[in-house]
Amino acid sequence: HHRFICGHLRRVTEGECKRLMIFVPPRHGKSELVTVRYAAWRLIREPGLRVIVGCYNQKLANRFSRKIKRLVACRTEISKQKHAAEEWETAVGGGVKAVGVGAGITGFGGDLIIIDDPVKGRSAADSRAIRETTWDWYKDDIHTRLEPGGAVIVIQTRWHDDDLAGRLLKDMEDGGEKWDAVSLAALAEPDSGD
């Protein structure tokens, strides 16, 4: 399934896909592959790229940011002025801004936004208040930081039909932004013969 996901990430890199959702069950390597390795690979190839990593809380976003920075620092010079986990830069001005759901992102634009697990789990997804907060954060904060021509990747386990991905898919059906959605199940469904 990693090769399959990488095929979709290639389309994002080449500008063929601007909105990608990846639905994979927990513990299948989606965060390591996409949020960490893909973001680092892009920054090594394009050190001026500005990446925003959003997660259900700041602690997780910072953990991803530190992992990305360690990989990038092996091949690209990191700025000595901005090098904190929540915001760091390459020597040429690219870098990562890490944010938790609900946090503001004022003053930072993103060429690539990766939202990884915007809800912590089933109990958070079952909370209408958390779903509303997540949706408002996406619409009013993080999405407004996307630079023209930029791409958004949403990676998550689907815990609820009305989660962020569910709302984005419904919005697409109602004429909103077009998203490519990749859904990989933990167990293969019986072959339907198609």
Side-chain angles (χ1 to χ4, degrees):
H1 68 275
H2 282 182
R3 280 193 208 106
F4 183 72
I5 291 171
C6 285
H8 286 278
L9 295 174
R10 178 196 51 77
R11 293 182 63 246
V12 173
T13 303
E14 294 175 0
E16 297 170 14
C17 174
K18 298 293 186 182
R19 305 291 181 273
L20 176 63
M21 289 187 215
I22 302 170
F23 310 135
V24 183
R27 308 305 308 155
H28 279 69
K30 63 188 179 296
S31 296
E32 184 67 25
L33 176 65
V34 181
T35 306
V36 176
R37 304 261 171 192
Y38 177 68
W41 179 78
R42 289 286 304 269
L43 279 160
I44 290 166
R45 293 182 70 212
E46 307 166 57
L49 188 76
R50 289 167 297 160
V51 179
I52 297 173
V53 174
C55 302
Y56 64 82
N57 71 17
Q58 188 69 49
K59 184 177 178 182
L60 181 60
N62 286 353
R63 183 180 320 143
F64 288 143
S65 175
R66 282 191 295 273
K67 285 182 165 188
I68 296 165
K69 186 167 90 172
R70 275 195 297 273
L71 292 170
V72 172
C74 292
R75 303 243 176 121
T76 303
E77 187 180 350
I78 303 297
S79 168
K80 293 183 181 14
Q81 281 76 41
K82 257 190 194 169
H83 54 86
E86 62 273 359
E87 185 175 349
W88 57 270
E89 290 183 349
T90 64
V92 298
V96 172
K97 172 78 171 168
V99 294
V101 168
I105 313 168
T106 305
F108 194 95
D111 304 304
L112 174 62
I113 295 174
I114 301 174
I115 301 171
D116 188 329
D117 282 331
V119 293
K120 187 173 183 177
R122 165 93 45 213
S123 62
D126 284 343
S127 165
R128 181 164 183 80
I130 290 174
R131 292 195 314 271
E132 290 297 330
T133 297
T134 304
W135 179 243
D136 290 344
W137 170 77
Y138 175 81
K139 285 188 327 181
D140 300 336
D141 291 322
I142 202 162
H143 191 265
T144 66
R145 302 284 101 201
L146 184 64
E147 294 289 349
V152 181
I153 300 173
V154 174
I155 309 160
Q156 68 177 90
T157 299
R158 294 296 310 274
W159 296 108
H160 198 284
D161 288 341
D162 187 43
D163 60 13
L164 176 61
R167 290 190 185 195
L168 291 169
L169 291 169
K170 173 139 184 21
D171 185 58
M172 181 174 73
E173 289 173 8
D174 295 339
E177 290 183 318
K178 182 186 178 311
W179 288 82
D180 288 356
V182 175
S183 183
L184 300 172
L187 299 173
E189 296 287 329
D191 189 353
S192 63
D194 293 337

